[in-house]
Amino acid sequence: MNYRHAYHAGNFADVVKHAVLTRLLDYLKQKDKAFRVIDTHAGIGRYDLSSVEAQKTGEWLGGIGRLVGADLDAKVAGLLAPYLEAVRAVNPEGGVKNYPGSPLIARHLLRKQDRLTAIELHPQDAERLKAVFAGDFQTRMIELDGWLALGAHLPPKEKRGLVLVDPPFEEEGEFARLVDGLSKAHRRWPGGIYALWYPIKDRKAVAAFRAALKNAGIPKLLDIGFEIRPASAEPSLDGTGMVVVNPPFTLESELRLMLPALHKAMAVAQPSRWTIDWLAGE
């Protein structure tokens, strides 16, 4: 598969992933001490939802397109506010014509003392990402295989922060690479927060991935599952998952407020569900 996120930007998986990302960043900002965000598979940063790619799939209509018009209660709206503010920041004229990728969302939430390392392997995407952050002294863009960054760039000098691992799943063995990459990274920087995204297509592969993580020897692992429909007969993105290592103590309670509201807004068929499971720890 020749993966380009432009086809999928702003879909339900992005909404869940980026809502979790912003809650993690909001927690890190509770202390004055600087932190670093390392985005290992950063993409191009900003996505035009009127592009041929986005219009071809229309996936954003079932994701951010539904959320912006959803009726949210005050607590949920407050939790999602940092995320939706980042979306509004790339749509100054209103509406949802553009969608911010994870590096742009992270950058929007940084304070003056915080830093972002955005890593992208594909040369064309890396050039576009460089243009997005041109002249930004708080952001370092590196053209590199993101998997290598889990060794070479850890721990960051700030000793606080978040590593987002969001591979395209365009090759076989990505689940195994996630487990292996996380294990190596955690040995180098056991105190960091890690957020690993994965697709829910092959349920057996997902179950094996979760089992492998349980046996990885990492003390605190929270797994978030979010399905929008039952398992399809043919492989299809029926759900999205995220594993958070060293999750903030506030995250689980926040998720129990956010996920039902997101599911109500974006689920397309039943039975489908959201889940929160401790694979290790609490």
Side-chain angles (χ1 to χ4, degrees):
M1 182 171 87
N2 186 15
Y3 179 93
R4 282 294 182 273
H5 196 67
Y7 290 98
H8 315 290
N11 68 2
F12 78 93
D14 263 3
V15 170
V16 174
K17 173 175 58 186
H18 292 150
V20 174
L21 172 64
T22 55
R23 296 317 310 154
L24 296 173
L25 293 174
D26 200 60
Y27 175 79
L28 284 167
K29 290 166 67 175
Q30 291 181 16
K31 292 183 179 180
D32 290 336
K33 190 177 179 182
F35 64 83
R36 181 173 295 267
V37 178
I38 299 174
D39 191 338
T40 64
H41 298 76
I44 64 174
R46 182 185 293 109
Y47 299 88
D48 179 0
L49 298 181
S50 67
S51 69
V52 172
E53 296 90 344
Q55 290 295 313
K56 184 175 181 179
T57 64
E59 289 186 18
W60 69 274
L61 293 168
I64 190 62
R66 289 192 181 189
L67 184 60
V68 292
D71 183 19
L72 304 172
D73 80 17
K75 288 185 179 179
V76 173
L79 293 173
L80 292 173
Y83 165 54
L84 293 175
E85 287 167 6
V87 174
R88 283 194 290 270
V90 296
N91 292 283
E93 297 178 358
V96 187
K97 298 177 182 178
N98 299 290
Y99 188 79
S102 51
L104 211 56
I105 290 173
R107 180 64 185 90
H108 179 77
L109 294 175
L110 297 189
R111 305 161 301 180
K112 63 181 181 180
Q113 66 266 42
D114 305 320
R115 297 293 183 267
L116 167 65
T117 300
I119 298 166
E120 176 54 46
L121 175 63
H122 293 285
Q124 290 179 330
D125 291 357
E127 284 302 314
R128 294 180 69 177
L129 190 62
K130 286 178 184 177
V132 169
F133 291 116
D136 183 352
F137 74 92
Q138 286 184 248
T139 300
R140 182 185 181 196
M141 194 276 140
I142 305 172
E143 187 175 335
L144 179 72
D145 183 344
W147 295 110
L148 299 177
L150 293 176
H153 293 274
L154 296 179
K157 65 179 182 179
E158 293 83 2
K159 299 296 190 291
R160 295 184 69 230
L162 164 68
V163 180
L164 175 64
V165 186
D166 179 17
F169 279 82
E170 61 185 350
E171 299 176 3
E172 293 292 328
E174 293 284 57
F175 279 119
R177 292 181 80 180
L178 269 179
V179 176
D180 183 59
L182 174 62
S183 297
K184 291 177 179 176
H186 189 263
R187 286 195 293 271
R188 291 182 65 91
W189 190 31
I193 298 174
Y194 299 83
L196 291 78
W197 178 83
Y198 64 91
I200 298 178
K201 289 185 177 181
D202 181 337
R203 307 299 174 105
K204 290 183 178 179
V206 170
F209 168 62
R210 290 169 172 164
L213 284 173
K214 284 184 177 182
N215 295 322
I218 296 172
K220 293 182 180 179
L221 283 167
L222 184 66
D223 179 64
I224 303 156
F226 189 94
E227 302 168 8
I228 61 167
R229 57 180 159 255
S232 302
E234 296 295 328
S236 177
L237 188 65
D238 300 320
T240 183
M242 204 160 192
V243 173
V244 181
V245 180
N246 295 324
F249 72 94
T250 53
L251 183 62
E252 182 177 1
S253 61
E254 291 177 348
L255 290 170
R256 292 193 182 279
L257 288 172
M258 289 195 310
L259 292 182
L262 293 176
H263 198 260
K264 181 180 179 180
M266 297 187 296
V268 296
Q270 299 297 336
S272 59
R273 60 178 185 157
W274 58 269
T275 57
I276 302 171
D277 295 306
W278 284 95
L279 301 181
E282 298 185 23

